[in-house]
Amino acid sequence: MNLIIRPSQKKDMQQLMELDRLIWDSTTTPVLLHWDSAGVYEKSYPEGQQTVAADGDRIAGYISYKHPVDIPSNRHVFDMAIGIHPDYQGRKVGSRLMEHLRQTAREQGVRKISLRVLSTNEKAIAFYKAIGFKEEGRLHEEFFLDGKYVDDLLMYKMVDGYEN
Ligand SMILES: CC(C)(COP(=O)(O)OP(=O)(O)OC[C@H]1O[C@@H](n2cnc3c(N)ncnc32)[C@H](O)[C@@H]1OP(=O)(O)O)[C@@H](O)C(=O)NCCC(=O)NCCS
């Protein structure tokens, strides 16, 4: 595996759409989005909006991040989402993308990275904890999925040098 981390390109859209179909279900997301074509996917996620890990011609995973609220007082925070292709899970692709995010955050003066994860998504919670994320809140019974009310966890990690 020879990973290159780069902004998403038009040629990636089909694979990104297929990756989403494989990884998102009612244990990993509160809403399943469906795209009819790569063109429709691209309208939701234009080129450059996601950062991908490419292994040659294959997209192994992606990460995306933005300020939760687009106001000056919130510019020190990134809210993130991550997805790794099942063929590449457990092979440190997620860790590589998180390291890229950490570097980008430092370059942009971002101090805090935050995310939301379903309480049923045990693998993702284990991943986030393994790389230093902590729980900072819990939205009780926030979603009704598969006939059950599910909590949504709020997690965060301070960027190196800004730990408190
Ligand atoms: C969760 C996810 C991002 C992890 O990415 P990954 O590339 O598979 O993780 P890594 O290989 O970098 O793992 C790093 C560490 O996280 C922990 N970890 C990762 N996957 C784990 C699992 N399935 N169970 C327990 N711990 C796990 C381990 O401590 C691992 O270190 P180790 O391999 O030395 O034991 C990936 O599995 C994924 O995309 N899942 C589906 C989509 C999803 O749930 N996204 C998050 C939504 S909030």
Side-chain angles (χ1 to χ4, degrees), residues 19 22-25 27-29 60-62 80-86 88-98 115-118 121-131 152-153:
L19 197 166
L22 291 171
I23 61 174
W24 299 122
D25 61 29
T27 67
T28 54
T29 180
Y62 67 85
M80 59 150 287
I82 188 167
I84 309 301
H85 191 288
Y88 287 89
Q89 287 180 12
R91 298 169 64 187
K92 305 282 188 199
V93 179
S95 300
R96 283 281 303 276
L97 285 167
M98 291 300 305
L115 60 88
R116 289 172 64 155
V117 58
L118 293 177
N121 194 351
E122 291 171 10
K123 291 180 189 173
I125 293 168
F127 168 71
Y128 293 134
K129 285 187 174 164
I131 56 173
D152 208 25
L153 302 190

Side-chain angles (χ1 to χ4, degrees), residues 54-131:
D55 180 22
D57 291 339
R58 289 197 71 188
I59 298 299
Y62 67 85
I63 193 165
S64 60
Y65 42 90
K66 61 179 171 52
H67 303 301
V69 188
D70 191 18
I71 54 175
S73 55
N74 195 229
R75 297 251 164 87
H76 61 287
V77 184
F78 272 152
D79 188 46
M80 59 150 287
I82 188 167
I84 309 301
H85 191 288
D87 291 350
Y88 287 89
Q89 287 180 12
R91 298 169 64 187
K92 305 282 188 199
V93 179
S95 300
R96 283 281 303 276
L97 285 167
M98 291 300 305
E99 173 56 20
H100 171 86
L101 174 56
R102 189 189 68 79
Q103 282 174 13
T104 305
R106 279 193 70 83
E107 283 161 18
Q108 297 190 17
V110 165
R111 296 164 60 94
K112 178 183 178 183
I113 298 171
S114 62
L115 60 88
R116 289 172 64 155
V117 58
L118 293 177
S119 57
T120 44
N121 194 351
E122 291 171 10
K123 291 180 189 173
I125 293 168
F127 168 71
Y128 293 134
K129 285 187 174 164
I131 56 173

Side-chain angles (χ1 to χ4, degrees), residues 120 141 143-151:
T120 44
E141 300 194 353
F143 299 110
F144 186 70
L145 296 164
D146 292 339
K148 285 183 193 153
Y149 290 98
V150 174
D151 297 349

